[in-house]
Amino acid sequence: MKKIFTLGALILLFLAIGSMAKAKEPYKLNVIYFLPQGDQPVEGYESRLNDLLLYVQDFYRYEMKRNGFGNKTFGLEKTADKRVKILVIRGKHDIPYYSYDNGGGWKAEREIEAYFKANPGTKKSHHALVIMPSTSGDDMNPGGVPFYGIGKYCFALDYKYFDIKYLGEDSEKGRLLTKWFGGMAHELGHGLNLPHNKEQVSVGKEHGTALMGSGNYTFGQKPTFLTKASCAILNNCEVFAQKEMEYYNKNTGFQLKEMEVDFPGTSLPADEIVVKGVFETKIPVNAVNVYVDHAPFGQVNNDYDAESWTVKPDKNNHFALRIPCKELHTKHIDSFQVRVRFLFENGIITTQTADFKWNDLVPYRFNKIK
Ligand code: ZN
């Protein structure tokens, strides 16, 4: 049967197509292929990286949705032929100048920021993923270039077999891809404001390994996921935004009024950890993340083993969370730190820490009211 569209229906249809064509994310992750002097891109990088980046974008979207944050992921700019736009920037110096051991990441970041300044409109957000060709000279053992994520920048590498077609393959190239692609997805997490964290015991049984724990070694081979606490941070990340607003303004007007970390219950050392408190703020805090980090803690890269939780404060900025100790992997050994992170909707994060010894549990009290 023939269907006749009314004028109204046609207008609605055009509007729908128009809004679909318009990208949802006003801010995009800057994707940069950084080439030192004398270096060449790895063959086929545009199409290989396109496929890999779209896969990671979908992974983040799936996890946001699964954790209750809706259909959100980081924005990627597209070229006219609908590929992920990769900005090629040529470094001022030769390959060794930018090596991993030589602090190459900082040096590249400095030059990339200078490029953005000299080319207005090319910087699409605060966040950047920088990919450099491997300099090891061995495609089955890539390396040599910066590979980490810190601040708003993260670094990954490209090599001949960095190709989605090997993902999940039970082969040397498949395992190699998990290492470097899982690595890229993990470092990108850092570049999108994420700290390390480990899956809770029961969540791990259901979903596998947290990407921001050791999921970079399982990605594509075994179940790997983002924790709800990680997604709560991404929910406030600039490149996940679906409307424009000011990001990363540190003048939050935040003041912690009261906070308690307590260990109620009859059995020792503890059945559960109870964290609660109240704060004042001008920029809204839409989630409070709590991490239980086991010794050694406090230093860089000692937080892979920190299980995480997230809770929404109520409208009076009160928050309360009960952590069952059976969800902790490391039990009653030595000391631990409870890290409470207040997540502002403009992407800023403020942290309050409290240290404890399992064999001498003293509740923590913070009080600015009295
Ligand atoms: Zn890491």
Side-chain angles (χ1 to χ4, degrees), residues 170-206:
D170 185 20
S171 66
E172 216 178 320
K173 283 173 191 158
R175 285 182 287 276
L176 198 62
L177 187 71
T178 283
K179 179 177 177 185
W180 295 105
F181 186 36
M184 183 175 90
H186 174 107
E187 301 312 335
L188 176 61
H190 288 312
L192 300 173
N193 304 335
L194 297 183
H196 291 127
N197 72 171
K198 190 177 175 75
E199 58 283 350
Q200 298 166 21
V201 169
S202 67
V203 178
K205 279 179 190 151
E206 198 179 343

Side-chain angles (χ1 to χ4, degrees), residues 3-22:
K3 267 195 178 170
I4 314 259
F5 288 105
T6 64
L7 185 62
L10 274 176
I11 288 170
L12 279 176
L13 185 69
F14 280 124
L15 283 175
I17 290 168
S19 71
M20 260 157 39
K22 212 173 123 197

Side-chain angles (χ1 to χ4, degrees), residues 20 33 99 147 246 260 303 317 334:
M20 260 157 39
Y33 204 83
S99 73
F147 202 89
E246 190 192 7
E260 266 181 43
D303 53 355
N317 293 330
D334 202 4

Side-chain angles (χ1 to χ4, degrees), residues 189-254:
H190 288 312
L192 300 173
N193 304 335
L194 297 183
H196 291 127
N197 72 171
K198 190 177 175 75
E199 58 283 350
Q200 298 166 21
V201 169
S202 67
V203 178
K205 279 179 190 151
E206 198 179 343
H207 296 291
T209 309
L211 178 66
M212 297 315 289
S214 46
N216 44 326
Y217 299 109
T218 55
F219 195 77
Q221 298 267 356
K222 289 179 190 159
T224 307
F225 73 102
L226 286 169
T227 63
K228 194 170 184 180
S230 287
C231 290
I233 293 174
L234 296 173
N235 188 41
N236 296 334
C237 175
E238 182 190 33
V239 287
F240 281 66
Q242 297 185 332
K243 62 176 177 16
E244 285 184 53
M245 62 172 243
E246 190 192 7
Y247 276 86
Y248 307 126
N249 182 343
K250 288 184 180 148
N251 295 321
T252 55
F254 178 82

